[in-house]
Amino acid sequence: LATFHLCRKLLILLRLQSILGFKVRAARSTDDSESIAMVKTITRTQILFTLMRLFAALAAAVALPWSVAERGFGNRISLHGDIPFWIALGAVGAAVGATFLFLVVEYVVRYNLPPKLGEFVCEAFREEIETMFKVLSLPPNSLQTKQVQERETWEYVAREFLHRYRFDTVFAADRFGSILQYIQGGMDPRK
């Protein structure tokens, strides 16, 4: 189950890394390019972190049954009996390394992210977000004010955008929330 989850997360991260690579090349200014490159770097650290966790899960999945087989049928297995121990030790080392990397990413890299991160990300995807807004806009009704209807549409756009690109796999809840808030606020750049 862990392997399936981590493989799925890895594929999402690799797809996002590829999309961000295109966005860096298509950026309008060097500031936009640097901002998206920063997001791309954080995505790379998440890919490394996920790979380490995936290795630990796979190594544990191999070492445990092999160790049980060694204990029960050791005389019938022609391989060296210490191999499961070394695989398990590698799994524990990868898990400890992944935990250390998580702490560094969480308390150093993510902590130092700019507060305007949501704006940087959303501005890189502005055309797509505006297209989503046009597609998801409902026809005006006489029951709600125009502002309420527009705010509701921006909420749907934010959900769709974040579901499509899955920035939750890269950022913690606070930074992920800044993207959500920026879109729900109507994509108005802060001065």
Side-chain angles (χ1 to χ4, degrees):
L1 189 61
T3 304
F4 173 74
H5 166 72
L6 291 170
C7 285
R8 185 172 173 269
K9 183 176 180 178
L10 184 63
L11 290 175
I12 289 169
L13 287 168
L14 289 171
R15 178 179 168 268
L16 186 59
Q17 176 79 3
S18 172
I19 291 168
L20 290 171
F22 290 123
K23 294 295 179 181
V24 166
R25 289 189 289 278
R28 289 177 247 163
S29 68
T30 56
D31 290 340
D32 291 344
S33 178
E34 289 172 2
S35 300
I36 300 302
M38 176 185 55
V39 174
K40 190 176 173 187
T41 301
I42 295 168
T43 305
R44 263 193 301 257
T45 60
Q46 287 296 94
I47 289 171
L48 177 63
F49 173 61
T50 303
L51 281 171
M52 290 174 72
R53 289 178 58 201
L54 182 62
F55 172 76
L58 289 173
V62 168
L64 183 63
W66 193 345
S67 177
V68 169
E70 278 290 329
R71 299 279 184 245
F73 307 104
N75 54 352
R76 295 184 197 159
I77 298 175
S78 63
L79 296 172
H80 196 272
D82 288 342
I83 295 174
F85 170 77
W86 293 110
I87 293 174
L89 188 63
V92 168
V96 169
T99 302
F100 178 73
L101 182 62
F102 171 77
L103 293 173
V104 168
V105 168
E106 185 68 27
Y107 295 109
V108 176
V109 176
R110 286 183 185 159
Y111 184 78
N112 292 322
L113 288 174
K116 294 176 83 175
L117 178 73
E119 184 177 337
F120 297 149
V121 171
C122 293
E123 288 302 320
F125 290 89
R126 179 172 275 285
E127 293 83 21
E128 294 165 56
I129 294 172
E130 288 173 348
T131 303
M132 282 183 209
F133 183 81
K134 289 175 188 169
V135 169
L136 295 174
S137 291
L138 297 173
N141 63 41
S142 60
L143 300 175
Q144 296 174 322
T145 64
K146 180 183 176 206
Q147 291 83 7
V148 170
Q149 292 176 31
E150 190 173 299
R151 188 174 63 229
E152 194 172 284
T153 302
W154 278 118
E155 184 176 334
Y156 292 138
V157 169
R159 289 180 184 186
E160 176 64 25
F161 174 75
L162 294 172
H163 174 73
R164 182 177 296 170
Y165 292 107
R166 299 300 309 263
F167 282 103
D168 59 321
T169 59
V170 179
F171 302 115
D174 58 341
R175 300 303 181 189
F176 176 70
S178 72
I179 298 170
L180 181 71
Q181 289 173 354
Y182 187 73
I183 296 173
Q184 287 180 335
M187 302 271 297
D188 292 327
R190 294 177 233 154
K191 302 295 179 204

